[in-house]
């Protein structure tokens, strides 16, 4: 593991050694950087011809479970776009398999869990002792870390991001059996069986900490925790049912020695509560102006975001204006990582994605 945290001491920050290390990791720690770092949610995905070429011969799960291919897809996307960090190619649902829950990805439908969890007995039966079976993700990270081990042309070290889901978002897939509009089954269980819900949260935290540990030991510099669907919750329900287990997860991942980025969608009203988890950086969706979102999480926390991914379909003058607006709202304060407000969708013009990276490099001097 790289020793970035020790660099976070005030003396180091005051020493003015801004260019050393990884500007992405430094920004996660709210240290000064030479310019705003950028990476993009779903930067390796179906919008990219290089990914589709690999996908023609391999299923999504095959790519995730074959370290050579997962590493290649991760590296290709980061290099093609010229971003400052690479997120390991994997999926939120991978931990379901060692927990004893079968799922698959169906074309056009997304993930499908075959026997969704609806009872306390099913929660009791979930396994937490087979996290080792996820070691293929760590092996892929090792390959990515080896590839990016030296400084790049501009002297910066590319950041490597590991990730996992947050307890609520993973529980919602387990209980709904797939994507959902109203999360009725999830909320029914959450409201009606406190003991079962708490046990599910606890089991997820146990597995996710183990999974994150493998990724950090393999070379991940930062862990991003995706709570993609947490915006379905009221502030009261978030506080009552999710804040404690999510805080526990984040604290235990930070104890592994890496900063944590905590991301959700439709979270404007939840941001102050999400900040209470102690995450180093909170990911903002595009619905909240970046400065308003940053105020909501407070100055003691970094922010990541928050361009509307659909703005990538706009004419370049409009897109450029949106990029500049976000950089202006961040105002060059340490702790901003440029990103989208959610993932790149299929059909997005690759040249627009590359343009955004170029503009952030040009205008994002802090
Ligand atoms: O560069 C990257 O970010 C790619 C790595 C990545 C994938 N999934 C690969 C993938 C990451 C970070 C994820 C996380 C993930 N998986 C999330 C959180 C991110 C978010 O968008 O909020 C979620 C909710 C999942 C679960 C999941 N996986 C869904 C709902 C889907 C279907 C989405 C769709 O548009 O069809 C997937 C499939 C998936 N995972 C794809 C990719 C590239 C696309 C399908 C494919 O290649 O066949």
């Amino acid at each position: 593991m790289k020793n970035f945290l020790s660099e976070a001491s005030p003396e180091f920050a005051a020493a003015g050694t801004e260019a050393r290390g990884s500007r992405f990791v430094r920004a996660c720690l709210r240290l000064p950087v030479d310019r705003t770092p950028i990476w993009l949610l779903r930067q390796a995905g179906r919008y990219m011809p290089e990914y589709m070429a690999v996908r023609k011969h391999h299923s999504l799960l095959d790519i995730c479970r074959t370290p050579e291919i997962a590493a290649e897809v991760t590296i290709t996307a980061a290099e093609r776009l010229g971003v400052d960090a690479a997120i390991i190619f994997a999926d939120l649902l991978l931990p379901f398999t060692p927990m004893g829950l079968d799922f698959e990805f169906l074309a056009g439908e997304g993930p499908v869990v075959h026997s969704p969890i609806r009872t306390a007995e099913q929660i009791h039966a979930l396994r937490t002792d087979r996290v080792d079976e996820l070691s293929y993700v760590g092996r892929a990270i090792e390959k990515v870390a080896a590839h990016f081990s030296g400084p790049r042309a501009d002297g910066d070290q590319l950041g490597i991001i590991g990730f996992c889901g947050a307890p609520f978002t993973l529980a919602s897939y387990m209980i709904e059996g797939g994507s959902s509009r109203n999360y009725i089954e999830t909320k029914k269980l959450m409201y009606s069986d406190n003991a079962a819900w708490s046990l599910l949260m606890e089991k997820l935290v146990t597995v996710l900490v183990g999974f994150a540990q493998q990724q950090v030991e393999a070379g991940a510099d930062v862990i991003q925790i995706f709570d993609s669907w947490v915006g379905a919750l009221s502030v009261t329900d978030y506080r009552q049912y999710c804040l404690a287990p999510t805080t526990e997860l984040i604290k235990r991942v930070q104890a592994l020695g890496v900063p944590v980025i905590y991301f959700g969608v439709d979270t404007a009203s939840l941001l102050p509560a999400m900040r209470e988890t102690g995450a180093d950086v909170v990911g903002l969706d595009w619905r909240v102006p970046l400065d308003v979102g940053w105020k909501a999480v407070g100055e003691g926390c970094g922010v990541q975001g928050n361009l509307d991914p659909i703005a990538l379909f706009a004419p370049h003058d409009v897109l450029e204006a949106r990029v500049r607006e976000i950089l202006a709202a961040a105002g060059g304060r340490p702790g901003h990582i440029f990103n989208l407000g959610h993932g790149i969708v299929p059909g997005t013009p690759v040249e627009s994605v590359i343009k955004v990276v170029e503009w952030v490099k040009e205008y994002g001097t802090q």
Side-chain angles (χ1 to χ4, degrees), residues 39-46 51 55 60 64 87-93 105 109-111 163 169 173 179 226 228-229 263 265 342-343 346:
W39 69 279
L40 301 162
L41 294 164
R42 287 271 163 103
Q43 64 193 26
R46 284 167 296 177
Y51 174 72
R55 200 56 186 79
L60 175 61
C64 292
I87 183 163
I88 189 62
F89 192 90
D91 197 85
L92 236 46
L93 271 51
F105 288 101
E109 261 186 74
F163 73 91
T169 291
Y173 279 110
S179 304
F226 284 95
S228 304
W229 314 136
F263 168 78
V265 180
H342 202 181

Side-chain angles (χ1 to χ4, degrees), residues 23 212 302 314:
R23 65 172 72 87

Side-chain angles (χ1 to χ4, degrees), residues 13-73:
T17 45
E18 287 85 14
R20 201 189 304 164
S22 158
R23 65 172 72 87
F24 165 69
V25 177
R26 292 177 61 82
C28 289
L29 297 166
R30 285 179 297 110
L31 293 170
V33 287
D34 56 347
R35 66 160 170 80
T36 307
I38 173 169
W39 69 279
L40 301 162
L41 294 164
R42 287 271 163 103
Q43 64 193 26
R46 284 167 296 177
Y47 78 102
M48 196 178 257
E50 290 86 341
Y51 174 72
M52 289 314 287
V54 175
R55 200 56 186 79
K56 232 167 112 179
H57 305 288
H58 306 279
S59 72
L60 175 61
L61 285 175
D62 282 347
I63 299 175
C64 292
R65 290 172 178 159
T66 312
E68 293 72 23
I69 307 178
E72 180 202 321
V73 166

Side-chain angles (χ1 to χ4, degrees), residues 142 217 261 289 364:
E142 282 168 9
E217 285 171 358
I261 304 173

